[in-house]
PDB file of all heavy atoms in Angstrom:
ATOM      1  N   PHE R  65      12.480 -38.969  10.749  1.00  0.00           N
ATOM      2  CA  PHE R  65      11.221 -39.350  11.385  1.00  0.00           C
ATOM      3  C   PHE R  65      11.460 -40.514  12.342  1.00  0.00           C
ATOM      4  O   PHE R  65      12.147 -41.484  12.002  1.00  0.00           O
ATOM      5  CB  PHE R  65      10.196 -39.796  10.331  1.00  0.00           C
ATOM      6  CG  PHE R  65       9.607 -38.687   9.528  1.00  0.00           C
ATOM      7  CD1 PHE R  65      10.373 -37.980   8.615  1.00  0.00           C
ATOM      8  CD2 PHE R  65       8.266 -38.354   9.677  1.00  0.00           C
ATOM      9  CE1 PHE R  65       9.807 -36.952   7.865  1.00  0.00           C
ATOM     10  CE2 PHE R  65       7.695 -37.338   8.930  1.00  0.00           C
ATOM     11  CZ  PHE R  65       8.467 -36.636   8.019  1.00  0.00           C
ATOM     12  N   SER R  66      10.858 -40.402  13.523  1.00  0.00           N
ATOM     13  CA  SER R  66      10.904 -41.509  14.470  1.00  0.00           C
ATOM     14  C   SER R  66       9.590 -41.565  15.235  1.00  0.00           C
ATOM     15  O   SER R  66       8.932 -40.542  15.426  1.00  0.00           O
ATOM     16  CB  SER R  66      12.088 -41.357  15.434  1.00  0.00           C
ATOM     17  OG  SER R  66      11.937 -40.179  16.216  1.00  0.00           O
ATOM     18  N   ALA R  67       9.197 -42.749  15.651  1.00  0.00           N
ATOM     19  CA  ALA R  67       7.961 -42.921  16.403  1.00  0.00           C
ATOM     20  C   ALA R  67       8.212 -43.865  17.566  1.00  0.00           C
ATOM     21  O   ALA R  67       8.987 -44.814  17.444  1.00  0.00           O
ATOM     22  CB  ALA R  67       6.856 -43.462  15.506  1.00  0.00           C
ATOM     23  N   LYS R  68       7.528 -43.568  18.654  1.00  0.00           N
ATOM     24  CA  LYS R  68       7.645 -44.404  19.841  1.00  0.00           C
ATOM     25  C   LYS R  68       6.274 -44.645  20.434  1.00  0.00           C
ATOM     26  O   LYS R  68       5.346 -43.854  20.238  1.00  0.00           O
ATOM     27  CB  LYS R  68       8.543 -43.722  20.890  1.00  0.00           C
ATOM     28  CG  LYS R  68       9.984 -43.560  20.474  1.00  0.00           C
ATOM     29  CD  LYS R  68      10.797 -42.919  21.593  1.00  0.00           C
ATOM     30  CE  LYS R  68      12.257 -42.781  21.199  1.00  0.00           C
ATOM     31  NZ  LYS R  68      13.064 -42.150  22.272  1.00  0.00           N
ATOM     32  N   MET R  69       6.184 -45.746  21.156  1.00  0.00           N
ATOM     33  CA  MET R  69       4.962 -46.028  21.900  1.00  0.00           C
ATOM     34  C   MET R  69       5.391 -46.612  23.240  1.00  0.00           C
ATOM     35  O   MET R  69       5.492 -47.838  23.388  1.00  0.00           O
ATOM     36  CB  MET R  69       4.056 -46.993  21.138  1.00  0.00           C
ATOM     37  CG  MET R  69       2.674 -47.083  21.727  1.00  0.00           C
ATOM     38  SD  MET R  69       1.491 -47.853  20.628  1.00  0.00           S
ATOM     39  CE  MET R  69      -0.008 -47.634  21.582  1.00  0.00           C
ATOM     40  N   PRO R  70       5.660 -45.755  24.203  1.00  0.00           N
ATOM     41  CA  PRO R  70       6.191 -46.213  25.484  1.00  0.00           C
ATOM     42  C   PRO R  70       5.197 -47.010  26.314  1.00  0.00           C
ATOM     43  O   PRO R  70       5.606 -47.822  27.158  1.00  0.00           O
ATOM     44  CB  PRO R  70       6.581 -44.915  26.187  1.00  0.00           C
ATOM     45  CG  PRO R  70       5.753 -43.860  25.537  1.00  0.00           C
ATOM     46  CD  PRO R  70       5.555 -44.286  24.131  1.00  0.00           C
ATOM     47  N   ASN R  71       3.907 -46.802  26.062  1.00  0.00           N
ATOM     48  CA  ASN R  71       2.888 -47.578  26.777  1.00  0.00           C
ATOM     49  C   ASN R  71       1.629 -47.643  25.921  1.00  0.00           C
ATOM     50  O   ASN R  71       1.566 -47.014  24.854  1.00  0.00           O
ATOM     51  CB  ASN R  71       2.595 -46.979  28.156  1.00  0.00           C
ATOM     52  CG  ASN R  71       2.170 -45.538  28.090  1.00  0.00           C
ATOM     53  OD1 ASN R  71       1.138 -45.216  27.506  1.00  0.00           O
ATOM     54  ND2 ASN R  71       2.963 -44.655  28.669  1.00  0.00           N
ATOM     55  N   ALA R  72       0.657 -48.368  26.401  1.00  0.00           N
ATOM     56  CA  ALA R  72      -0.542 -48.634  25.595  1.00  0.00           C
ATOM     57  C   ALA R  72      -1.410 -47.408  25.383  1.00  0.00           C
ATOM     58  O   ALA R  72      -2.329 -47.445  24.557  1.00  0.00           O
ATOM     59  CB  ALA R  72      -1.371 -49.744  26.256  1.00  0.00           C
ATOM     60  N   SER R  73      -1.157 -46.333  26.079  1.00  0.00           N
ATOM     61  CA  SER R  73      -2.038 -45.182  25.984  1.00  0.00           C
ATOM     62  C   SER R  73      -1.358 -43.953  25.413  1.00  0.00           C
ATOM     63  O   SER R  73      -1.910 -42.850  25.478  1.00  0.00           O
ATOM     64  CB  SER R  73      -2.626 -44.849  27.365  1.00  0.00           C
ATOM     65  OG  SER R  73      -1.601 -44.583  28.281  1.00  0.00           O
ATOM     66  N   PHE R  74      -0.181 -44.114  24.828  1.00  0.00           N
ATOM     67  CA  PHE R  74       0.517 -42.919  24.358  1.00  0.00           C
ATOM     68  C   PHE R  74       1.525 -43.271  23.272  1.00  0.00           C
ATOM     69  O   PHE R  74       2.279 -44.242  23.381  1.00  0.00           O
ATOM     70  CB  PHE R  74       1.232 -42.251  25.536  1.00  0.00           C
ATOM     71  CG  PHE R  74       1.928 -40.967  25.192  1.00  0.00           C
ATOM     72  CD1 PHE R  74       1.199 -39.852  24.811  1.00  0.00           C
ATOM     73  CD2 PHE R  74       3.312 -40.873  25.247  1.00  0.00           C
ATOM     74  CE1 PHE R  74       1.833 -38.663  24.496  1.00  0.00           C
ATOM     75  CE2 PHE R  74       3.961 -39.684  24.948  1.00  0.00           C
ATOM     76  CZ  PHE R  74       3.221 -38.569  24.565  1.00  0.00           C
ATOM     77  N   SER R  75       1.538 -42.424  22.239  1.00  0.00           N
ATOM     78  CA  SER R  75       2.532 -42.581  21.180  1.00  0.00           C
ATOM     79  C   SER R  75       2.962 -41.199  20.696  1.00  0.00           C
ATOM     80  O   SER R  75       2.197 -40.239  20.779  1.00  0.00           O
ATOM     81  CB  SER R  75       1.961 -43.371  20.011  1.00  0.00           C
ATOM     82  OG  SER R  75       2.902 -43.469  18.948  1.00  0.00           O
ATOM     83  N   THR R  76       4.195 -41.118  20.219  1.00  0.00           N
ATOM     84  CA  THR R  76       4.702 -39.878  19.652  1.00  0.00           C
ATOM     85  C   THR R  76       5.296 -40.123  18.276  1.00  0.00           C
ATOM     86  O   THR R  76       5.830 -41.200  17.997  1.00  0.00           O
ATOM     87  CB  THR R  76       5.784 -39.246  20.539  1.00  0.00           C
ATOM     88  OG1 THR R  76       6.867 -40.182  20.684  1.00  0.00           O
ATOM     89  CG2 THR R  76       5.238 -38.872  21.894  1.00  0.00           C
ATOM     90  N   LEU R  77       5.178 -39.118  17.442  1.00  0.00           N
ATOM     91  CA  LEU R  77       5.849 -39.086  16.148  1.00  0.00           C
ATOM     92  C   LEU R  77       6.719 -37.839  16.144  1.00  0.00           C
ATOM     93  O   LEU R  77       6.212 -36.732  16.328  1.00  0.00           O
ATOM     94  CB  LEU R  77       4.844 -39.036  15.006  1.00  0.00           C
ATOM     95  CG  LEU R  77       5.417 -38.950  13.588  1.00  0.00           C
ATOM     96  CD1 LEU R  77       6.147 -40.242  13.218  1.00  0.00           C
ATOM     97  CD2 LEU R  77       4.313 -38.670  12.569  1.00  0.00           C
ATOM     98  N   LYS R  78       8.012 -38.047  15.965  1.00  0.00           N
ATOM     99  CA  LYS R  78       8.949 -36.940  16.059  1.00  0.00           C
ATOM    100  C   LYS R  78       9.629 -36.714  14.714  1.00  0.00           C
ATOM    101  O   LYS R  78      10.000 -37.675  14.011  1.00  0.00           O
ATOM    102  CB  LYS R  78       9.991 -37.223  17.137  1.00  0.00           C
ATOM    103  CG  LYS R  78      10.947 -36.084  17.424  1.00  0.00           C
ATOM    104  CD  LYS R  78      11.874 -36.434  18.581  1.00  0.00           C
ATOM    105  CE  LYS R  78      11.114 -36.572  19.889  1.00  0.00           C
ATOM    106  NZ  LYS R  78      12.023 -36.756  21.046  1.00  0.00           N
ATOM    107  N   ILE R  79       9.782 -35.462  14.369  1.00  0.00           N
ATOM    108  CA  ILE R  79      10.512 -35.083  13.152  1.00  0.00           C
ATOM    109  C   ILE R  79      11.646 -34.148  13.581  1.00  0.00           C
ATOM    110  O   ILE R  79      11.411 -33.114  14.188  1.00  0.00           O
ATOM    111  CB  ILE R  79       9.600 -34.351  12.133  1.00  0.00           C
ATOM    112  CG1 ILE R  79       8.334 -35.164  11.868  1.00  0.00           C
ATOM    113  CG2 ILE R  79      10.365 -34.133  10.827  1.00  0.00           C
ATOM    114  CD1 ILE R  79       7.301 -34.428  11.018  1.00  0.00           C
ATOM    115  N   GLN R  80      12.859 -34.565  13.270  1.00  0.00           N
ATOM    116  CA  GLN R  80      14.023 -33.783  13.667  1.00  0.00           C
ATOM    117  C   GLN R  80      15.167 -33.997  12.680  1.00  0.00           C
ATOM    118  O   GLN R  80      15.654 -35.131  12.577  1.00  0.00           O
ATOM    119  CB  GLN R  80      14.459 -34.158  15.079  1.00  0.00           C
ATOM    120  CG  GLN R  80      15.834 -33.672  15.516  1.00  0.00           C
ATOM    121  CD  GLN R  80      15.966 -32.166  15.573  1.00  0.00           C
ATOM    122  OE1 GLN R  80      14.977 -31.457  15.663  1.00  0.00           O
ATOM    123  NE2 GLN R  80      17.193 -31.674  15.517  1.00  0.00           N
ATOM    124  N   PRO R  81      15.609 -32.975  11.956  1.00  0.00           N
ATOM    125  CA  PRO R  81      15.033 -31.640  11.882  1.00  0.00           C
ATOM    126  C   PRO R  81      13.883 -31.592  10.886  1.00  0.00           C
ATOM    127  O   PRO R  81      13.856 -32.356   9.929  1.00  0.00           O
ATOM    128  CB  PRO R  81      16.214 -30.817  11.375  1.00  0.00           C
ATOM    129  CG  PRO R  81      16.966 -31.771  10.504  1.00  0.00           C
ATOM    130  CD  PRO R  81      16.811 -33.133  11.144  1.00  0.00           C
ATOM    131  N   SER R  82      12.948 -30.692  11.100  1.00  0.00           N
ATOM    132  CA  SER R  82      11.815 -30.580  10.191  1.00  0.00           C
ATOM    133  C   SER R  82      12.195 -29.795   8.931  1.00  0.00           C
ATOM    134  O   SER R  82      13.117 -28.960   8.946  1.00  0.00           O
ATOM    135  CB  SER R  82      10.639 -29.897  10.898  1.00  0.00           C
ATOM    136  OG  SER R  82      11.030 -28.621  11.358  1.00  0.00           O
ATOM    137  N   GLU R  83      11.488 -30.110   7.839  1.00  0.00           N
ATOM    138  CA  GLU R  83      11.695 -29.447   6.561  1.00  0.00           C
ATOM    139  C   GLU R  83      10.326 -29.024   6.002  1.00  0.00           C
ATOM    140  O   GLU R  83       9.309 -29.634   6.338  1.00  0.00           O
ATOM    141  CB  GLU R  83      12.388 -30.390   5.575  1.00  0.00           C
ATOM    142  CG  GLU R  83      13.780 -30.802   6.010  1.00  0.00           C
ATOM    143  CD  GLU R  83      14.482 -31.695   4.997  1.00  0.00           C
ATOM    144  OE1 GLU R  83      13.894 -31.959   3.911  1.00  0.00           O
ATOM    145  OE2 GLU R  83      15.617 -32.128   5.277  1.00  0.00           O
ATOM    146  N   PRO R  84      10.321 -28.017   5.121  1.00  0.00           N
ATOM    147  CA  PRO R  84       9.042 -27.556   4.563  1.00  0.00           C
ATOM    148  C   PRO R  84       8.243 -28.685   3.900  1.00  0.00           C
ATOM    149  O   PRO R  84       7.007 -28.683   3.953  1.00  0.00           O
ATOM    150  CB  PRO R  84       9.478 -26.493   3.552  1.00  0.00           C
ATOM    151  CG  PRO R  84      10.727 -25.922   4.140  1.00  0.00           C
ATOM    152  CD  PRO R  84      11.437 -27.103   4.756  1.00  0.00           C
ATOM    153  N   ARG R  85       8.907 -29.649   3.298  1.00  0.00           N
ATOM    154  CA  ARG R  85       8.187 -30.733   2.630  1.00  0.00           C
ATOM    155  C   ARG R  85       7.511 -31.690   3.611  1.00  0.00           C
ATOM    156  O   ARG R  85       6.768 -32.585   3.185  1.00  0.00           O
ATOM    157  CB  ARG R  85       9.122 -31.536   1.731  1.00  0.00           C
ATOM    158  CG  ARG R  85      10.300 -32.172   2.421  1.00  0.00           C
ATOM    159  CD  ARG R  85      11.327 -32.642   1.390  1.00  0.00           C
ATOM    160  NE  ARG R  85      12.586 -33.056   1.995  1.00  0.00           N
ATOM    161  CZ  ARG R  85      13.024 -34.308   1.999  1.00  0.00           C
ATOM    162  NH1 ARG R  85      12.307 -35.259   1.454  1.00  0.00           N
ATOM    163  NH2 ARG R  85      14.191 -34.607   2.544  1.00  0.00           N
ATOM    164  N   ASP R  86       7.757 -31.507   4.891  1.00  0.00           N
ATOM    165  CA  ASP R  86       7.061 -32.312   5.902  1.00  0.00           C
ATOM    166  C   ASP R  86       5.675 -31.737   6.224  1.00  0.00           C
ATOM    167  O   ASP R  86       4.906 -32.358   6.968  1.00  0.00           O
ATOM    168  CB  ASP R  86       7.873 -32.372   7.195  1.00  0.00           C
ATOM    169  CG  ASP R  86       9.253 -32.960   6.989  1.00  0.00           C
ATOM    170  OD1 ASP R  86       9.414 -33.807   6.075  1.00  0.00           O
ATOM    171  OD2 ASP R  86      10.182 -32.570   7.723  1.00  0.00           O
ATOM    172  N   SER R  87       5.371 -30.580   5.682  1.00  0.00           N
ATOM    173  CA  SER R  87       4.060 -29.963   5.923  1.00  0.00           C
ATOM    174  C   SER R  87       2.970 -30.891   5.406  1.00  0.00           C
ATOM    175  O   SER R  87       2.981 -31.311   4.245  1.00  0.00           O
ATOM    176  CB  SER R  87       3.981 -28.609   5.222  1.00  0.00           C
ATOM    177  OG  SER R  87       4.945 -27.718   5.754  1.00  0.00           O
ATOM    178  N   ALA R  88       2.034 -31.206   6.296  1.00  0.00           N
ATOM    179  CA  ALA R  88       0.996 -32.190   5.970  1.00  0.00           C
ATOM    180  C   ALA R  88       0.047 -32.274   7.160  1.00  0.00           C
ATOM    181  O   ALA R  88       0.253 -31.631   8.193  1.00  0.00           O
ATOM    182  CB  ALA R  88       1.611 -33.570   5.714  1.00  0.00           C
ATOM    183  N   VAL R  89      -0.989 -33.084   6.992  1.00  0.00           N
ATOM    184  CA  VAL R  89      -1.832 -33.450   8.132  1.00  0.00           C
ATOM    185  C   VAL R  89      -1.422 -34.849   8.561  1.00  0.00           C
ATOM    186  O   VAL R  89      -1.354 -35.770   7.732  1.00  0.00           O
ATOM    187  CB  VAL R  89      -3.330 -33.425   7.780  1.00  0.00           C
ATOM    188  CG1 VAL R  89      -4.163 -33.862   8.990  1.00  0.00           C
ATOM    189  CG2 VAL R  89      -3.750 -32.029   7.328  1.00  0.00           C
ATOM    190  N   TYR R  90      -1.134 -35.001   9.832  1.00  0.00           N
ATOM    191  CA  TYR R  90      -0.709 -36.292  10.388  1.00  0.00           C
ATOM    192  C   TYR R  90      -1.847 -36.855  11.232  1.00  0.00           C
ATOM    193  O   TYR R  90      -2.336 -36.206  12.154  1.00  0.00           O
ATOM    194  CB  TYR R  90       0.560 -36.120  11.222  1.00  0.00           C
ATOM    195  CG  TYR R  90       1.760 -35.776  10.374  1.00  0.00           C
ATOM    196  CD1 TYR R  90       1.988 -34.471   9.949  1.00  0.00           C
ATOM    197  CD2 TYR R  90       2.649 -36.766   9.966  1.00  0.00           C
ATOM    198  CE1 TYR R  90       3.078 -34.156   9.141  1.00  0.00           C
ATOM    199  CE2 TYR R  90       3.742 -36.468   9.171  1.00  0.00           C
ATOM    200  CZ  TYR R  90       3.946 -35.160   8.764  1.00  0.00           C
ATOM    201  OH  TYR R  90       5.022 -34.857   7.965  1.00  0.00           O
ATOM    202  N   PHE R  91      -2.228 -38.072  10.878  1.00  0.00           N
ATOM    203  CA  PHE R  91      -3.311 -38.745  11.597  1.00  0.00           C
ATOM    204  C   PHE R  91      -2.758 -39.903  12.409  1.00  0.00           C
ATOM    205  O   PHE R  91      -1.849 -40.616  11.983  1.00  0.00           O
ATOM    206  CB  PHE R  91      -4.343 -39.308  10.614  1.00  0.00           C
ATOM    207  CG  PHE R  91      -5.222 -38.287   9.974  1.00  0.00           C
ATOM    208  CD1 PHE R  91      -4.963 -37.829   8.696  1.00  0.00           C
ATOM    209  CD2 PHE R  91      -6.325 -37.789  10.651  1.00  0.00           C
ATOM    210  CE1 PHE R  91      -5.783 -36.892   8.097  1.00  0.00           C
ATOM    211  CE2 PHE R  91      -7.153 -36.846  10.063  1.00  0.00           C
ATOM    212  CZ  PHE R  91      -6.876 -36.394   8.782  1.00  0.00           C
ATOM    213  N   CYS R  92      -3.378 -40.089  13.534  1.00  0.00           N
ATOM    214  CA  CYS R  92      -3.183 -41.277  14.349  1.00  0.00           C
ATOM    215  C   CYS R  92      -4.495 -42.053  14.314  1.00  0.00           C
ATOM    216  O   CYS R  92      -5.589 -41.460  14.298  1.00  0.00           O
ATOM    217  CB  CYS R  92      -2.837 -40.861  15.773  1.00  0.00           C
ATOM    218  SG  CYS R  92      -2.681 -42.215  16.938  1.00  0.00           S
ATOM    219  N   ALA R  93      -4.404 -43.366  14.275  1.00  0.00           N
ATOM    220  CA  ALA R  93      -5.597 -44.211  14.294  1.00  0.00           C
ATOM    221  C   ALA R  93      -5.337 -45.401  15.197  1.00  0.00           C
ATOM    222  O   ALA R  93      -4.184 -45.826  15.360  1.00  0.00           O
ATOM    223  CB  ALA R  93      -5.966 -44.677  12.886  1.00  0.00           C
ATOM    224  N   SER R  94      -6.396 -45.940  15.774  1.00  0.00           N
ATOM    225  CA  SER R  94      -6.229 -47.145  16.586  1.00  0.00           C
ATOM    226  C   SER R  94      -7.256 -48.194  16.192  1.00  0.00           C
ATOM    227  O   SER R  94      -8.289 -47.889  15.580  1.00  0.00           O
ATOM    228  CB  SER R  94      -6.304 -46.830  18.084  1.00  0.00           C
ATOM    229  OG  SER R  94      -7.607 -46.465  18.498  1.00  0.00           O
TER     230      SER R  94
END
Side-chain angles (χ1 to χ4, degrees):
Chain R
F65 286 69
S66 63
K68 295 182 179 180
M69 192 165 185
N71 56 63
S73 59
F74 183 66
S75 177
T76 59
L77 178 67
K78 186 176 294 187
I79 308 172
Q80 166 63 21
S82 58
E83 297 182 3
R85 59 194 170 113
D86 301 330
S87 297
V89 178
Y90 291 81
F91 286 100
C92 176
S94 70

